[in-house]
Amino acid sequence: MVALNDPLAARAHARAMEGTVVEAMPIIPPMASDLPTGVSSDDLLWEERIAGGGYASRVLPRGSRLRLIDLEGDACASIQLFNAEMPTERLNVADTVKIQWNAYLGAGKLLLSDMGRVLMSIVADDAQTHDAFCGAANAASNARTYGNGSNSGPYPNARDRLLLGVAKHGLGRRDVHPCINLFKGVRIEEDGAVTPVIGPFAGGRTVTLRAEMDLILVVANCPHVLDTRPWSVTALRATAWRGPVADPDDPIRNATPEGRRAFLNVDDYYLR
C-alpha cells in the first residue's frame, strides 16, 4: 500500500501509472488495426472504448467517418449532435423522422438539424435496432428502475452523462436536447403500443456514420429508458477517421428529394 499522505510517495505512485491501459479509455495517439480498406492510420482521429455507464465527446470534421461497435451486444449509444461552429444548431429528432417519412433509422438515413441541414448520414448499419422515439433515461427514471439515478451513483443515467459531455464544449443543461439511441430499438405497434427491442444481441454489431458538417458529437452509453432488466450495459467502441465530403453523385445524398434539399442546405452553408 502506497503511503499517499507522503507527497513524494504519491508522486512516485502516480508516475508509475504512466502507460497503464484500462478497459475503457481514449487511445492517444489513436491506433486501430481494423480500419477499412484504403483508410490510412494517419487519417485516424479518435479511438476510444466507452464503458457501460460512461460517456465521451469529440469534435469531428466534415467528411469524417465514425464507426461505433457494440462490442458485447448490450451497449446503448445515446447520441447528440451540434454544429461545431454554431452549437445553437443541433440534432432535431422530430425533423429527422418527419422529413424522411420514416422513424426507423438505418443505412442511408440522415440525422437532420433544426435548420434543415444534414448533420450526419448513416452509411452502414448491421445492427438495425435503433430508437428515435424515447430519448434518454434520466435521474428519475433510473431511480424508479434501479433505486438510484444520481450521476455520481452506481447507476448513472444517460441524460446526466450527456450533460457532462456537452459541458466539455461550453454548453449546459438547456443544450441537452432529445437524443437518438443506437443499438437499442423500439417498435410502434398498430395500436400505438411501444415495444422495446432491447436484446441483448450478438456482440460486434456496427454502425458507421459520415459527418456532413463540422460537428460536436456527444455519446452516453447507459441503459435504454425502457430497459427494465437489472442494470445491464456493456462497452461501446468508437473509431473516427478523416474522409471525403459527399460528392454531388453520392447515393445517400440523392436517395430522396427531401435528402437532396437538406444536402443543398449544407452546401449553401459552406459557400459563405
Side-chain angles (χ1 to χ4, degrees):
M1 179 69 178
V2 177
L4 297 183
N5 59 339
D6 176 351
L8 295 179
R11 182 180 68 183
H13 173 73
R15 288 180 173 177
M17 296 298 102
E18 183 181 15
T20 300
V21 177
V22 297
E23 180 185 13
M25 61 183 292
I27 305 302
I28 304 173
M31 294 179 288
S33 60
D34 58 348
L35 292 172
T37 301
V39 176
S40 165
S41 59
D42 292 337
D43 290 324
L44 264 177
L45 298 168
W46 180 28
E47 175 66 30
E48 183 166 354
R49 186 182 175 112
I50 305 166
Y55 74 97
S57 65
R58 270 296 188 276
V59 175
L60 298 175
R62 187 182 183 202
S64 61
R65 272 57 169 178
L66 170 68
R67 183 181 65 191
L68 297 173
I69 303 177
D70 178 5
L71 291 169
E72 299 171 52
D74 223 354
C76 180
S78 300
I79 67 168
Q80 296 191 325
L81 302 170
F82 302 83
N83 177 342
E85 180 185 53
M86 184 178 64
T88 50
E89 180 179 10
R90 70 257 329 249
L91 174 67
N92 187 306
V93 178
D95 282 356
T96 292
V97 168
K98 176 180 64 178
I99 290 172
Q100 296 182 96
W101 307 94
N102 192 318
Y104 297 104
L105 299 176
K109 299 303 179 186
L110 312 176
L111 305 185
L112 301 174
S113 82
D114 51 9
M115 296 188 181
R117 294 188 272 259
V118 190
L119 294 171
M120 299 192 93
S121 56
I122 302 174
V123 298
D125 172 31
D126 63 19
Q128 300 180 354
T129 49
H130 311 302
D131 166 31
F133 292 100
C134 296
N138 54 47
S141 64
N142 271 29
R144 287 194 301 270
T145 305
Y146 309 112
N148 186 326
S150 68
N151 203 17
S152 57
Y155 309 113
N157 67 86
R159 182 173 175 81
D160 281 344
R161 287 309 200 218
L162 292 170
L163 175 59
L164 294 178
V166 302
K168 303 289 195 265
H169 304 276
L171 304 174
R173 184 169 292 277
R174 69 179 183 177
D175 299 300
V176 179
H177 54 279
C179 69
I180 282 173
N181 299 306
L182 302 178
F183 301 115
K184 300 295 185 188
V186 298
R187 185 176 66 251
I188 308 302
E189 308 296 351
E190 289 189 7
D191 64 358
V194 179
T195 300
V197 186
I198 297 298
F201 304 96
R205 300 184 310 148
T206 301
V207 179
T208 303
L209 303 100
R210 180 176 62 204
E212 309 297 357
M213 301 181 69
D214 296 332
L215 298 175
I216 298 169
L217 164 81
V218 184
V219 56
N221 185 23
C222 295
H224 189 276
V225 66
L226 297 185
D227 191 345
T228 58
R229 299 173 297 164
W231 174 271
S232 181
V233 59
T234 55
L236 175 70
R237 181 183 168 199
T239 307
W241 58 88
R242 296 179 186 85
V245 173
D247 63 43
D249 297 323
D250 181 79
I252 294 177
R253 178 185 176 114
N254 291 291
T256 67
E258 296 85 3
R260 281 194 294 274
R261 180 70 231 181
F263 272 97
L264 286 172
N265 291 342
V266 173
D267 296 343
D268 180 64
Y269 181 81
Y270 283 102
L271 282 173
R272 294 173 305 147

